Amino acid sequence: MSDSTDLDEGEFVGRRGTDPVRLVPGEVIAAVPAAKALADRSSGELRFDFLDDGAVLRMLRLRHEDETAMFNAGFKTGVPLAIIGFGAAVYWGGVVQYWESGTARVVYAAVTAAVVLILLAVYVRTAVAHWGDPVRQNLRSRARRYRELAHLARREGADIPAHYPHYGPYPFAATFHPEADEPQTTDGEGQS
């Protein structure tokens, strides 16, 4: 379930776990000639109207859901991987290498390595499924461009809050794929 149901009209969450942020109207960005020109160029390039408040709000809410889904997926596999890996190293350092026979050490090392490698493979597969999904990448690409537009408009004097839209720039995994469909939701697993 999306936490966008708790938001007022015109609000989105810029960062996971932060307070809602009010959308800056498109006319504020369009009032800056350089930002309007970039928005017009970007609209054709990324197939998105960056000055349509409803479309931008939907995109920003989906971007937040995408970020939350990525965090949750990484947390579900990353935490067990870290705990098991750390526990195995501590147990090896404190018990196995000193008090067990040579055969027991080899079996322990083999089983531990297999478990850690399996968890690592699941972690990498999950990351690739989220980061590599073309629909999600399109969403990130549009969100990144919107962030660039807002920052350009702010530098040129528009009344836009600092750091708006209050999330990172997605320096990678934000390639636009024109063949990919539009996102309906980002709650599930990414497509491989």
Side-chain angles (χ1 to χ4, degrees), residues 3 9 101 157 164 171 179:
D3 56 353
E9 187 174 332
S101 68
Y164 176 84
E179 73 283 356

Side-chain angles (χ1 to χ4, degrees), residues 27-40:
E27 64 252 11
V28 172
I29 294 173
V32 176
K36 181 162 179 16
L38 180 58
D40 291 341

Side-chain angles (χ1 to χ4, degrees), residues 14-85:
R15 279 288 226 194
R16 189 178 31 80
T18 60
D19 293 329
V21 178
R22 180 142 306 277
L23 179 73
V24 171
E27 64 252 11
V28 172
I29 294 173
V32 176
K36 181 162 179 16
L38 180 58
D40 291 341
R41 279 193 315 274
S42 298
S43 291
E45 179 185 332
L46 299 176
R47 297 183 190 170
F48 186 80
D49 185 356
F50 289 95
L51 301 176
D52 177 354
D53 293 343
V56 169
L57 182 62
R58 179 177 178 273
M59 182 260 306
L60 291 173
R61 286 178 176 177
L62 285 171
R63 191 226 40 89
H64 170 70
E65 291 178 14
D66 177 51
E67 182 179 87
T68 301
M70 285 189 295
F71 175 82
N72 290 340
F75 191 79
K76 287 176 187 173
T77 56
V79 169
L81 176 62
I83 290 171
I84 289 172

Side-chain angles (χ1 to χ4, degrees), residues 114-137:
V115 169
V116 168
L117 288 174
I118 289 169
L119 283 173
L120 186 61
V122 169
Y123 182 79
V124 168
R125 184 184 180 287
T126 301
V128 168
H130 281 278
W131 283 104
D133 181 10
V135 173
R136 289 175 184 262
Q137 285 191 10

Side-chain angles (χ1 to χ4, degrees), residues 80-101:
L81 176 62
I83 290 171
I84 289 172
F86 179 74
V90 168
Y91 191 69
W92 173 268
V95 176
V96 175
Q97 71 174 334
Y98 298 113
W99 291 304
E100 297 293 338
S101 68

